[in-house]
Amino acid sequence: MSNPRIFWAGDSTVTQNDYRTYPQSGIGQGIRLYIKKEIEIKNHAVNGRSTKSFIDESRLAPIYDEITKGDFLFIQFGHNDEKIQDPSRYTDPDGEFCVNLGKYATAARNKGAHPVFITPLYRRNFQEDGSLYQGEHLAYRKAVIRTAGERNVPCIDLCTASRKLIEKTPAEVSEHWFMNLAKGEFENFPDGKQDNTHLQWSGAMTFGNLLAAGLKALGGIYEELLIEPEKLTVSFEGEVFHEK
């Protein structure tokens, strides 16, 4: 029996980067460190995509063509679905967003693969009093969890887990997880790329570790994807929702 593969559908917080976008990195790269070497990861995530634009650009189609029985489809969206000013990407969290999530789950299950919903990574945005802003992705997090329950899809609440991790980590440490680059730190890197949404490699590893802890919490075939899950030292402080 061949080894299962992991397919990713998602946005820039997940995508596979190369030297052209260095030092930006995605969680799909970070979690590679925790997945058994014999398990191939096929990362189809693309910067700036929502559940809607990913499908409209026919990016789900090649996944559907290749994915097969026993494979996994990891699905993480929300950042770009929120962009109400852009009709090519925006989805209503109580409507089209949930419908689209269902399309990804159905695509995987039609081929005998296992869909996994992952709530969107939390943004590192602080308020004037120094506390972390609490409203990031809230409607979309709830929509992912609700759709997971309705469609009986396993779900890892990375949104909550990443928020809690950012909150308890000193700001001078967490700023190095995200694209907060000092001027001149990376030659010719455009200042406009500095933000608290996209990740550097240290952030990709940190949140990849957190996602691995979420897979461990799911147990069963999901935990079996990991290298020595019993040695993971990070506790997953979000919620996980199992298949019923």
Side-chain angles (χ1 to χ4, degrees), residues 153-197:
V153 174
C155 179
I156 298 173
D157 185 11
L158 183 64
C159 189
T160 297
S162 58
R163 174 181 59 78
K164 290 181 177 180
L165 183 59
I166 294 167
E167 283 179 324
K168 71 180 185 181
T169 301
E172 62 270 21
V173 174
S174 66
E175 69 178 351
H176 294 289
W177 297 345
F178 292 82
M179 293 291 286
N180 290 287
L181 305 175
K183 271 191 173 181
E185 187 173 346
F186 294 93
E187 187 176 357
N188 298 324
F189 199 84
D191 292 340
K193 293 289 186 180
Q194 300 179 25
D195 61 56
N196 284 297
T197 297

Side-chain angles (χ1 to χ4, degrees), residues 4-21:
R5 298 169 296 174
I6 296 170
F7 290 75
W8 273 103
D11 56 33
S12 57
T13 60
V14 171
T15 194
Q16 182 79 28
N17 289 265
D18 56 36
Y19 76 95
R20 293 171 295 181
T21 50

Side-chain angles (χ1 to χ4, degrees), residues 199-211:
L199 301 173
Q200 295 192 56
W201 175 239
S202 59
M205 287 195 301
T206 297
F207 295 115
N209 190 3
L210 197 59
L211 182 55

